[in-house]
Amino acid sequence: MGWFEKLYQKGCSASGAAKEEQAKKLRQNVTMTEHQVELEDLLKGYKTSQERGLTPEQAAANLAEFGTNELTPPPKTPEWVKFMDEMTGEFNLLLWAAGVACFVSYGMLPQADNLYLGVVLFCVVTVTGVFSYLQNAKSDNMMNEFKSMRPPRVTVVRGGEVSFVDAALITIGDIVKLEQGDLVPADIRVLECSPNMCVDNSSLTGESDPIKRKPECTNADPLETANLCFFGTQVPEGSCVGVVVKIADNTVIGKIAQLALSTEAEQTPINKEIHHFIQIISAIAFALGISFFAAALGMGQDAVTSLVFMIGIIVANVPEGLLATVTVCLTLTAKRMYTKKVMVKNLEGVETLGSTSCICSDKTGTLTQNIMTVAQVVYDTNGAPKIQDAGSSFTKGISTFDTESAGFKALVKCSTLCNTCNFDKYFEDEVTGKRVLLPFSKVRVQGDGSTITEILWKTRGNASEGAMIKFAQGGPIQACFGKRDVDEMRRDFGKVFDIPFNSKNKYQVHVHCESPDPENDDKDRTIYMKGAPERIIDRCTQYMCGDGRVVEFTQELRSEVEKAQMAMGNNGLRVLGFCTKTLPIKAYGKAYPWSDGRDLGKSTANFPLGESKALASYKAGMVDDKGKPLDPPHPKSGEGLIFLGLMALVDPPREAVPGAVAKCKTAGIKVIMVTGDHPGTAEAIAYKVGILWSPTARKIEEMNAAEGLQPGDVGYQDPALAQAIVVPGWEISDDDPVAKWDAILAHPQIVFARTSPQQKLVIVGNCQRVGHVVAVTGDGVNDSPALKKADIGVAMGIAGTPVTKNAADMILLDDNFASIVAGVEEGRLIFDNLKKSICYTLTSNIPEISPFLCWIVFLTPMPLSTVLILAIDLGTDMVPAISMAYEDAEADIMKRPPRNAATDHLVTGKLMCLAYLQIGVMQALAGFYAWMLVLNDYGFPPVVLVGNPGATAPTGKLGFFADQVMYCKFKGGQYVNALGQVDEGQVIAGDKDPWAGSVSVGAGLRRDPSEVGPRRQYPLWDRGDAGYLESCSFAAKNFNGRRAAPKAGQTWSGGFDYRDADTYKRRTDGQPLPTVESIYALQSQKYFEYVPWRGRMSEFWDSKWLAWDITRSEFKLAKGAKAGVLGYKNNKKAATFSFLGQPPGVWSVCLGNDGNLQGKETDSDLVKLPKMDQLYKGVKMEHVDLPTTCAGETKYRTWYKDAVFCNGGYDANGDAKGGAGCADLDDVTANLFYCKPTDGVPSCRPDCESASPAEIAADIAAHPKAEDRTIKQCQNVASRMVQKNALMHSQAAYWVSIVVVQWADLLICKTRWLSIKQQGLRNSVLNFGLFFETLLAAWLCYGGIFSVLGTQPIRFTHWMPGVPWSMMIFMYDETRKYMMRATSPEVVDAVTGAIKRQAGWIEKSTYY
């Protein structure tokens, strides 16, 4: 349950204090007195009578007073709340916040990548939220399942008449009648019942045997007394009449229901770990974001750009793909567990099972098979009674009985005929409605791979008798008698008379004849008796030998039988004795009046039953404990019987359970048995499966006594030091002091027996209190509160009730405890694999964050865009991260102790150190190496990067690189044209050369880039033999115009047209811009326009950049198809006001300030760029050779508010566009020129003939529309476009290098301890992930969609820079793991087998 659902329920429910008080009351043990009150007083208090029941009027009054017999339904959580809970988990909220931040960032500074990132983040959260909702969707029908335990109609006595009433309408005081097969409709006190009346309390107490009921109170504890029947239990045998004493929520089941509903599910460990991880990652993200936001502001960056930068840092820290990775990993593991017969209802429960340090397991059906089975038999072998194995799982399938033995045959015959249990052999086909005969048994494969023989014929009747007929049907009945089945056996030996089993006699008697027709059979009759061994042995005077002879039952033989009984009883087996007697037909003929003696006024039957002791001890006038006279025994009952043998029954442990328990001990998991069964039975099974393996205090006392040892004697053992303890339920309660519970739970071997549902809840709570992560198993209704309270509740899929399955987090489809251990291994594996997946994911955070830090700290171009970060987190990293879910367990996974939830988190300091400071740093270095290498290959060596910030989209006051023309100081080299021809000083007609007056310029003189700038015809710089770049910078942005943006529209109405200088109006939307004065300031210090020849040799080069026709549609950014390539797509400001960094003309602050800059400057808030400030500060205008007259000097970090825009254009009347003085700048208008037609075709070419002002004016007059003019307005955008494309390629190379180093990262994250050689490469999904991320990266680079993501078709050689770093990462981690294993020796615990490592310093420092 998440915070949203908790908030909803908090608003809809009672206060916390009230709920806690109610829960405390519900946790108290069941208290009732109705079973102890005198019956007459009880009925009088209810105003009812046994004969007539309630009057209709009284029944109506009681119904009005006490309400209907219906359980209070729980508050239902609406589906929309559950959906919102999934959508607003903590990790989801983090991603929602990151998405909102991206949209805010886009709103403040429109950059398409932030928009894409925001949209994708929203999609990721929505998809994973919907997925989790659908996966976890389940109806909470717990109360409906409780209702299903109530019968639809009940037989009630009201007003002296028997009627059928809806179970919801019965009330306190009603007299109800129950028959065999009925469900008990309420808590009732038994008034009278048949001798064989019993109830099946397995759903309430866990007892597998039906419990006898009788009218007398036998125990003060309501759960132990024999005169109460509880709501929801069943009547398998007999009948009774009772009075309703509790209904609805006041019944025992009702209190369990309320307890289950009031018990809040514990927060899962994985949920806690994700919360812990979010706290860490959020703290890091916000700390870095705020720190660098402050740093950016301190460096002079404006608040908006600084905020965008901060958002970028935060988003880069958030592993966007981790939510999907965790969800998919848990889902995959849940599916894998399903193949192991474990169905996961709650995804987070997958990992919880792996965190389990304590398993509180029910006994019946979980540790045992919940199938009462004949384990051993005793009959005469070679003249003495011997124990023989009966082929059960208790004896590991071994059978030693002899079907040819007459003694064994007689034993099987007795157990089959003296038996009322029957088989249900048929299955009703729901489609056809036909009854289909089932095979007797089939072999079923369990989740751990072991097999178990499942009996498909269901038994109807007593479980012990069912075990006997299953044993007979399994082979002996055919081998011994040639009968097809039990039914045929019983038909062939017709029943004459029977005495049902009762708790007083503790035996059952059947009399059979030798044919199917008792009325016409003339052969002798045979008595068959079974019962408690001591009752059977006492009644026998003869003994049947293995060859069929009958001999005297000597004391020696009796002793041997008793020894066998004791041996089987000590093994936790339930032993029954069998005897027989053949009666002559002459004495007991066809018309003999068989009787149990009651109708004859006798205390015993009127035929031989070995009642010689009763006959001998009876004296006339004897009375019972209530003073009533005792009936005399019948004289014929004294004759002794023939002893046949014994059968030992057991609900056998599942074959795989002992091994699974041993595995738990090795794994450091404490297994506690919590059962409602008897302490003796529970203890025997616990020793059998290995939950107990050393003696309890009681056994130690018995051993001391047997040896006659006293304290201080040699060999004396102190009972107080016993490691094992068996705690009966009557010794514990919710009110017990903490010290008592601590003392109990300090024992390593614990069994809780005879526990109530409330006590199970208290046991679980105390285990959690001492620090355990508790898993609880259960199948009965009584287990449901504890299942909900536990960290993970595990219900039985076969034997479990619907209520239990509803309360549980996972279901064992095969009811096998061993499947829990398999689940623990899977849970540990998923925690390990999630750690590995997170480590793999986080390592890329450093190479994702460091570009932002480099950008703001070293003021470099942006090495990586946010969209490419998204391509890593949600693209290339996704499949490899998910593939970790398929990774096999490392060798020691089930030999490690359970993780310490307080210290061993999903994300630890060691993991962060390894991911961030070790592997992450190496990955970042690989990225920067690739980034710098690519930029250097395209003409931008590392020396020109520092101090020249920029990105592939406008970035406000940090927009220089890729946004403006770059100016460099050359040392040597040469100027060339696009064909590689060197500028040798050739004379070009009409050439306007700004440096024509320099002494180094002239016909036949090779231009010296160290002294003069390039001509339009030779714009590229080539290093030649030994040239290099000394330094590079950008023109200072020293004009900050009006805050208003230019108004688009028709030029005649005053609208803005980027081609018309008259329409600029000094409106720059508050954006700072470079001016011709700052350009001349650079040129005066020998910094000239830089277009690298290496850029010309690149795959992205476009020669049109050297002479770009600005009238072409591609240049109209509002609708241009290539606007994205130019860097301004979807940027509304840029679409309105083109090329902020390189406008089609120049701004002049001298012309805007009437030729005098003195005192006109104001302080700017530009980012401090040391190189630019150094070049700009103190430059006198009269020294820069401006064509216009200008006074003043440039000052450090200042700008001007007035400027004039000039672009060399002229009106039709010959006046210069832009204003007075613009004509003086015609020859120096940076990068802008007007080309006359070449060969009669209007076009822009670097070597075109320049048009004169008169020609420009005439062309404008002749062609009012710019598109129709023959003289083209052209601009050299190559410097900026080479920067931009080189930066995009370098960013793509940085991104590809991360993919390459992630190859090694994926391999090293396969293991936390073992070498890759030991673990192997068997994970085919991970191997696919390696290929997937590589192919995806290649497709994104070369698939033609790079205009969205910013990826580029980089050279193959630019994939290589990351390879040596990838190899270094792999070798570094393999060395680390080797040294960790070498310095951390392992020690095996002698008792549990758990492996404990003595951690060395490398493990302590780096093992995550």
Side-chain angles (χ1 to χ4, degrees):
M1 185 189 300
W3 71 271
F4 193 91
E5 189 173 345
K6 287 181 180 177
L7 185 65
Y8 174 84
Q9 291 192 359
K10 187 176 181 181
C12 300
S13 60
S15 67
K19 288 176 68 176
E20 178 58 31
E21 182 63 29
Q22 180 189 13
K24 186 174 181 180
K25 289 180 180 178
L26 290 169
R27 285 196 299 269
Q28 301 296 323
N29 289 341
V30 176
T31 54
M32 290 176 63
T33 58
E34 286 82 357
H35 61 296
Q36 296 175 293
V37 177
E38 286 294 330
L39 186 57
E40 185 178 343
D41 295 337
L42 183 69
L43 296 176
K44 185 177 180 181
Y46 290 154
K47 300 178 181 179
T48 187
S49 68
Q50 183 173 341
E51 295 76 19
R52 299 189 59 79
L54 293 171
T55 63
E57 295 77 17
Q58 187 60 48
N62 285 4
L63 198 62
E65 180 181 355
F66 302 113
T68 58
N69 184 33
E70 293 181 307
L71 301 178
T72 304
K76 186 171 177 62
T77 303
E79 290 300 314
W80 71 268
V81 174
K82 296 178 183 177
F83 179 75
M84 288 301 297
D85 198 50
E86 295 292 347
M87 299 297 290
T88 55
E90 288 182 311
F91 207 102
N92 303 60
L93 289 176
L94 185 62
L95 294 186
W96 282 122
V100 170
C102 289
F103 287 122
V104 171
S105 174
Y106 178 75
M108 292 189 296
L109 194 62
Q111 295 180 13
D113 51 0
N114 283 333
L115 177 64
Y116 300 147
L117 183 57
V119 170
V120 171
L121 285 176
F122 274 30
C123 290
V124 167
V125 182
T126 303
V127 169
T128 51
V130 170
F131 183 79
S132 296
Y133 168 75
L134 294 176
Q135 186 70 21
N136 288 324
K138 57 184 184 291
S139 55
D140 292 327
N141 291 326
M142 183 174 293
M143 193 55 69
N144 291 334
E145 303 296 354
F146 275 110
K147 287 181 180 178
S148 69
M149 302 174 69
R150 187 188 67 200
R153 297 179 71 79
V154 184
T155 306
V156 179
V157 177
R158 283 184 180 172
E161 296 183 359
V162 176
S163 60
F164 295 97
V165 177
D166 189 291
L169 299 179
I170 65 171
T171 187
I172 290 177
D174 263 327
I175 304 298
V176 299
K177 293 187 175 183
L178 300 177
E179 300 290 339
Q180 180 176 344
D182 285 348
L183 287 172
V184 180
D187 288 357
I188 69 170
R189 175 171 171 177
V190 177
L191 301 179
E192 63 179 47
C193 65
S194 63
N196 63 336
M197 165 67 184
C198 60
V199 289
D200 180 2
N201 279 357
S202 59
S203 65
L204 187 64
T205 64
E207 288 179 276
S208 53
D209 285 337
I211 311 299
K212 291 292 181 179
R213 301 287 93 171
K214 58 183 179 180
E216 295 80 23
C217 175
T218 59
N219 198 307
D221 186 340
L223 293 178
E224 298 292 336
T225 188
N227 66 337
L228 285 179
C229 299
F230 300 104
F231 167 65
T233 59
Q234 191 175 29
V235 182
E237 287 186 80
S239 61
C240 79
V241 175
V243 58
V244 175
V245 295
K246 298 283 186 183
I247 61 169
D249 291 343
N250 291 322
T251 61
V252 173
I253 287 289
K255 290 180 180 178
I256 293 174
Q258 294 302 313
L259 187 59
L261 294 170
S262 67
T263 304
E264 290 192 5
E266 296 293 309
Q267 186 182 16
T268 61
I270 191 66
N271 195 278
K272 295 175 185 176
E273 290 304 321
I274 290 176
H275 173 72
H276 178 256
F277 170 65
I278 290 170
Q279 287 180 322
I280 292 174
I281 211 72
S282 300
I284 292 174
F286 283 99
L288 285 175
I290 293 170
S291 299
F292 285 94
F293 173 74
L297 289 177
M299 295 170 64
Q301 180 65 284
D302 64 280
V304 171
T305 307
S306 298
L307 188 59
V308 171
F309 167 68
M310 182 186 78
I311 291 170
I313 287 283
I314 292 172
V315 171
N317 267 284
V318 175
E320 292 86 357
L322 190 60
L323 176 61
T325 300
V326 170
T327 303
V328 172
C329 284
L330 292 174
T331 304
L332 290 173
T333 306
K335 289 183 177 179
R336 192 161 62 239
M337 290 176 70
Y338 187 81
T339 65
K340 297 185 177 182
K341 306 298 184 183
V342 181
M343 188 179 80
V344 179
K345 289 173 61 183
N346 177 3
L347 281 183
E348 292 179 352
V350 175
E351 191 283 325
T352 306
L353 200 56
S355 304
T356 298
S357 60
C358 175
I359 300 176
C360 292
S361 177
D362 189 26
K363 175 185 73 70
T364 306
T366 308
L367 300 173
T368 65
Q369 296 179 22
N370 197 23
I371 303 171
M372 194 62 77
T373 305
V374 176
Q376 293 176 320
V377 295
V378 174
Y379 61 90
D380 183 79
T381 305
N382 299 324
K386 301 290 184 184
I387 297 176
Q388 307 291 346
D389 293 332
S392 69
S393 60
F394 182 85
T395 60
K396 299 182 179 180
I398 296 173
S399 299
T400 59
F401 57 79
D402 180 10
T403 56
E404 298 299 322
S405 167
F408 177 73
K409 290 180 180 180
L411 181 62
V412 171
K413 186 175 183 180
C414 180
S415 66
T416 304
L417 297 180
C418 186
N419 194 314
T420 59
C421 191
N422 294 294
F423 283 123
D424 186 356
K425 312 174 188 177
Y426 295 92
F427 165 74
E428 186 170 331
D429 192 307
E430 295 181 359
V431 178
T432 62
K434 295 181 178 179
R435 286 166 57 81
V436 180
L437 180 64
L438 293 168
F440 176 65
S441 64
K442 73 171 184 179
V443 175
R444 180 162 58 85
V445 179
Q446 301 185 101
D448 60 347
S450 63
T451 59
I452 185 172
T453 300
E454 181 181 5
I455 306 300
L456 298 183
W457 289 7
K458 303 303 179 184
T459 56
R460 292 180 297 180
N462 182 276
S464 298
E465 292 190 334
M468 297 174 202
I469 62 171
K470 282 187 287 187
F471 170 67
Q473 186 67 43
I477 202 166
Q478 293 87 1
C480 296
F481 306 102
K483 306 296 183 184
R484 184 177 69 253
D485 56 26
V486 169
D487 291 341
E488 182 181 353
M489 179 85 168
R490 289 175 179 169
R491 282 196 302 271
D492 290 349
F493 297 94
K495 185 171 72 172
V496 177
F497 179 73
D498 70 274
I499 300 176
F501 182 91
N502 64 67
S503 56
K504 179 183 177 183
N505 295 331
K506 294 186 178 180
Y507 61 73
Q508 178 180 354
V509 178
H510 280 215
V511 180
H512 285 259
C513 64
E514 297 299 311
S515 72
D517 185 7
E519 294 181 0
N520 299 314
D521 184 54
D522 295 327
K523 296 180 182 179
D524 295 342
R525 300 321 192 216
T526 306
I527 300 171
Y528 297 101
M529 176 188 280
K530 76 168 186 290
E534 62 276 11
R535 297 295 177 96
I536 299 298
I537 292 171
D538 285 347
R539 283 168 168 71
C540 293
T541 56
Q542 292 178 299
Y543 174 85
M544 180 173 284
C545 297
D547 56 6
R549 292 181 298 110
V550 175
V551 298
E552 181 186 354
F553 196 18
T554 63
Q555 186 59 45
E556 183 180 353
L557 287 172
R558 289 176 187 270
S559 298
E560 291 297 322
V561 170
E562 288 171 353
K563 283 181 183 179
Q565 175 198 349
M566 184 69 69
M568 293 188 293
N570 289 339
N571 281 329
L573 305 181
R574 182 184 179 193
V575 184
L576 292 175
F578 297 83
C579 59
T580 187
K581 180 78 173 180
T582 300
L583 304 179
I585 188 65
K586 293 182 180 179
Y588 298 91
K590 290 183 286 186
Y592 187 77
W594 303 91
S595 171
D596 61 2
R598 287 184 294 178
D599 57 337
L600 302 176
K602 304 294 182 180
S603 62
T604 60
N606 64 347
F607 54 89
L609 285 183
E611 297 282 5
S612 57
K613 290 184 178 179
L615 287 168
S617 62
Y618 179 78
K619 294 181 181 179
M622 294 180 68
V623 296
D624 61 14
D625 52 0
K626 293 184 179 180
K628 294 182 180 179
L630 287 175
D631 292 330
H634 196 286
K636 289 188 177 182
S637 64
E639 189 177 344
L641 307 177
I642 303 168
F643 182 80
L644 297 176
L646 304 173
M647 278 192 177
L649 311 178
V650 67
D651 180 4
R654 294 178 177 272
E655 291 183 18
V657 168
V661 172
K663 206 169 187 180
C664 284
K665 288 189 282 188
T666 303
I669 300 171
K670 191 172 190 176
V671 181
I672 299 175
M673 181 189 289
V674 183
T675 180
D677 215 337
H678 293 280
T681 306
E683 182 178 340
I685 294 295
Y687 277 112
K688 195 74 179 175
V689 299
I691 291 176
L692 301 181
W693 62 89
S694 60
T696 62
R698 177 181 59 80
K699 285 193 173 183
I700 290 175
E701 290 173 353
E702 291 174 355
M703 287 188 292
N704 288 336
E707 298 291 333
L709 299 174
Q710 298 295 326
D713 293 347
V714 176
Y716 175 80
Q717 298 182 55
D718 187 354
L721 301 178
Q723 298 292 294
I725 186 172
V726 178
V727 184
W730 55 79
E731 293 183 3
I732 55 175
S733 74
D734 188 34
D735 297 325
D736 287 337
V738 169
K740 178 180 177 180
W741 278 105
D742 288 345
I744 292 173
L745 297 177
H747 291 80
Q749 308 160 48
I750 307 175
V751 170
F752 289 98
R754 217 62 176 154
T755 55
S756 67
Q758 291 81 358
Q759 288 170 334
K760 288 187 178 184
L761 189 62
V762 174
I763 291 166
V764 172
N766 277 283
C767 288
Q768 290 172 328
R769 179 185 56 77
V770 297
H772 283 299
V773 175
V774 183
V776 172
T777 72
D779 56 358
V781 175
N782 57 319
D783 300 315
S784 55
L787 289 177
K788 282 200 71 178
K789 173 67 176 173
D791 294 289
I792 181 164
V794 183
M796 302 299 109
I798 299 172
T801 62
V803 178
T804 314
K805 295 176 186 177
N806 227 307
D809 297 298
M810 61 177 56
I811 300 170
L812 298 184
L813 300 178
D814 59 355
D815 289 11
N816 189 0
F817 180 85
S819 296
I820 301 177
V821 181
V824 169
E825 188 166 354
E826 286 290 344
R828 288 190 175 190
L829 177 59
I830 195 61
F831 190 80
D832 272 15
N833 288 347
L834 280 176
K835 266 183 175 283
K836 297 171 184 177
S837 182
I838 288 173
C839 184
Y840 170 81
T841 304
L842 290 185
T843 50
S844 60
N845 268 18
I846 292 299
E848 290 173 1
I849 297 166
S850 51
F852 289 91
L853 308 187
C854 180
W855 183 51
I856 198 70
V857 174
F858 299 106
L859 297 172
T860 67
M862 182 69 81
L864 190 68
S865 69
T866 50
V867 171
L868 287 177
I869 291 174
L870 190 68
I872 295 169
D873 291 346
L874 295 178
T876 57
D877 271 2
M878 185 67 77
V879 171
I882 292 172
S883 72
M884 289 296 182
Y886 293 90
E887 190 59 39
D888 292 336
E890 294 188 55
D892 65 340
I893 194 168
M894 286 303 284
K895 294 181 180 178
R896 299 198 305 252
R899 70 180 182 89
N900 185 338
T903 57
D904 189 7
H905 295 293
L906 192 61
V907 179
T908 62
K910 297 176 198 174
L911 186 148
M912 300 289 284
C913 177
L914 181 70
Y916 279 8
L917 301 183
Q918 297 172 57
I919 308 302
V921 168
M922 285 187 273
Q923 288 194 359
L925 291 174
F928 281 115
Y929 174 62
W931 173 68
M932 289 188 290
L933 185 71
V934 172
L935 284 174
N936 184 71
D937 283 352
Y938 293 135
F940 302 98
V943 69
V944 308
L945 301 179
V946 177
N948 291 317
T952 55
T955 52
K957 296 171 185 177
L958 277 178
F960 293 95
F961 196 95
D963 198 38
Q964 286 185 228
V965 175
M966 176 176 275
Y967 295 86
C968 294
K969 189 171 186 178
F970 307 116
K971 188 67 174 179
Q974 57 196 15
Y975 291 120
V976 297
N977 62 16
L979 299 176
Q981 298 168 337
V982 180
D983 187 350
E984 300 285 3
Q986 299 92 330
V987 176
I988 301 174
D991 182 23
K992 294 181 179 181
D993 187 352
W995 291 274
S998 173
V999 294
S1000 63
V1001 175
L1005 293 177
R1006 175 174 286 198
R1007 275 175 112 80
D1008 183 4
S1010 303
E1011 297 296 330
V1012 295
R1015 287 194 287 177
R1016 169 164 59 88
Q1017 295 81 0
Y1018 296 90
L1020 295 95
W1021 180 84
D1022 175 34
R1023 65 188 300 270
D1025 293 332
Y1028 61 89
L1029 301 178
E1030 285 192 15
S1031 176
C1032 292
S1033 188
F1034 294 91
K1037 297 181 178 182
N1038 59 342
F1039 168 49
N1040 188 29
R1042 305 295 184 268
R1043 291 288 179 185
K1047 294 182 179 179
Q1050 299 296 325
T1051 55
W1052 57 264
S1053 63
F1056 172 73
D1057 183 348
Y1058 63 90
R1059 297 163 299 190
D1060 190 344
D1062 288 338
T1063 65
Y1064 275 69
K1065 307 297 184 185
R1066 304 179 189 175
R1067 292 175 174 174
T1068 65
D1069 197 26
Q1071 297 296 318
L1073 301 173
T1075 65
V1076 69
E1077 288 78 15
S1078 61
I1079 293 172
Y1080 265 74
L1082 287 173
Q1083 291 178 352
S1084 68
Q1085 299 172 75
K1086 308 303 181 184
Y1087 279 76
F1088 305 117
E1089 181 177 343
Y1090 177 50
V1091 181
W1093 170 253
R1094 287 187 177 184
R1096 162 65 185 87
M1097 301 307 294
S1098 68
E1099 57 276 6
F1100 55 76
W1101 173 260
D1102 186 349
S1103 292
K1104 294 177 182 178
W1105 291 341
L1106 295 174
W1108 190 268
D1109 182 358
I1110 68 171
T1111 63
R1112 294 174 62 192
S1113 61
E1114 290 89 342
F1115 202 68
K1116 296 178 180 178
L1117 299 172
K1119 58 182 179 181
K1122 293 186 179 179
V1125 178
L1126 295 172
Y1128 294 93
K1129 190 170 185 179
N1130 297 327
N1131 189 312
K1132 294 180 181 178
K1133 292 180 182 177
T1136 306
F1137 187 59
S1138 61
F1139 293 146
L1140 299 178
Q1142 188 185 1
V1146 292
W1147 291 94
S1148 173
V1149 292
C1150 281
L1151 292 180
N1153 290 279
D1154 301 324
N1156 186 3
L1157 300 180
Q1158 205 69 37
K1160 305 291 180 64
E1161 71 279 354
T1162 58
D1163 292 336
S1164 77
D1165 58 2
L1166 287 173
V1167 175
K1168 180 180 179 181
L1169 300 178
K1171 174 59 69 175
M1172 183 181 292
D1173 291 338
Q1174 175 188 342
L1175 296 173
Y1176 180 71
K1177 180 181 178 183
V1179 177
K1180 295 185 181 297
M1181 288 296 100
E1182 58 266 27
H1183 294 162
V1184 299
D1185 297 329
L1186 270 175
T1188 61
T1189 303
C1190 190
E1193 67 177 43
T1194 58
K1195 295 183 180 180
Y1196 175 67
R1197 298 188 72 192
T1198 58
W1199 54 27
Y1200 302 91
K1201 293 186 177 180
D1202 294 303
V1204 170
F1205 185 76
C1206 305
N1207 67 355
Y1210 286 86
D1211 289 328
N1213 59 10
D1215 293 337
K1217 288 277 188 180
C1222 277
D1224 297 332
L1225 301 177
D1226 283 352
D1227 294 338
V1228 297
T1229 302
N1231 302 303
L1232 194 69
F1233 50 95
Y1234 289 80
C1235 280
K1236 294 166 64 173
T1238 303
D1239 297 330
V1241 179
S1243 63
C1244 284
R1245 294 177 53 157
D1247 58 352
C1248 71
E1249 185 178 349
S1250 297
S1252 66
E1255 290 172 325
I1256 296 172
D1259 191 49
I1260 291 174
H1263 306 95
K1265 289 186 177 181
E1267 291 82 359
D1268 298 334
R1269 294 169 189 162
T1270 59
I1271 295 176
K1272 292 297 182 180
Q1273 193 175 357
C1274 307
Q1275 187 173 24
N1276 182 350
V1277 297
S1279 176
R1280 184 175 62 81
M1281 294 308 296
V1282 170
Q1283 292 175 59
K1284 183 172 187 62
N1285 281 274
L1287 182 56
M1288 292 173 71
H1289 276 69
S1290 68
Q1291 289 179 341
Y1294 188 112
W1295 174 73
V1296 164
S1297 75
I1298 296 178
V1299 174
V1300 172
V1301 293
Q1302 286 289 71
W1303 297 343
D1305 189 29
L1306 186 62
L1307 293 176
I1308 68 173
C1309 287
K1310 274 175 64 71
T1311 66
R1312 295 195 293 151
W1313 179 259
L1314 299 179
S1315 163
I1316 189 72
K1317 181 179 179 181
Q1318 295 169 303
Q1319 185 74 356
L1321 290 172
R1322 293 180 296 273
N1323 186 346
S1324 58
V1325 181
L1326 184 142
N1327 298 337
F1328 167 75
L1330 283 170
F1331 286 101
F1332 171 82
E1333 65 176 336
T1334 308
L1335 292 175
L1336 178 61
W1339 181 71
L1340 292 178
C1341 283
Y1342 307 108
I1345 63 167
F1346 57 83
S1347 60
V1348 175
L1349 295 178
T1351 55
Q1352 298 292 310
I1354 62 174
R1355 299 172 184 169
F1356 177 73
T1357 53
H1358 290 161
W1359 284 70
M1360 295 299 106
V1363 173
W1365 293 92
S1366 186
M1367 295 171 64
M1368 185 176 75
I1369 288 171
F1370 180 79
M1371 290 186 290
Y1372 168 81
D1373 199 68
E1374 280 293 293
T1375 304
R1376 178 185 67 85
K1377 289 173 185 171
Y1378 171 76
M1379 294 179 66
M1380 188 165 62
R1381 294 192 300 273
T1383 57
S1384 300
E1386 295 180 342
V1387 177
V1388 180
D1389 188 292
V1391 177
T1392 65
I1395 293 179
K1396 298 178 181 178
R1397 280 202 300 264
Q1398 297 177 346
W1401 69 270
I1402 298 179
E1403 180 180 353
K1404 290 177 181 177
S1405 303
T1406 66
Y1407 182 69
Y1408 62 91

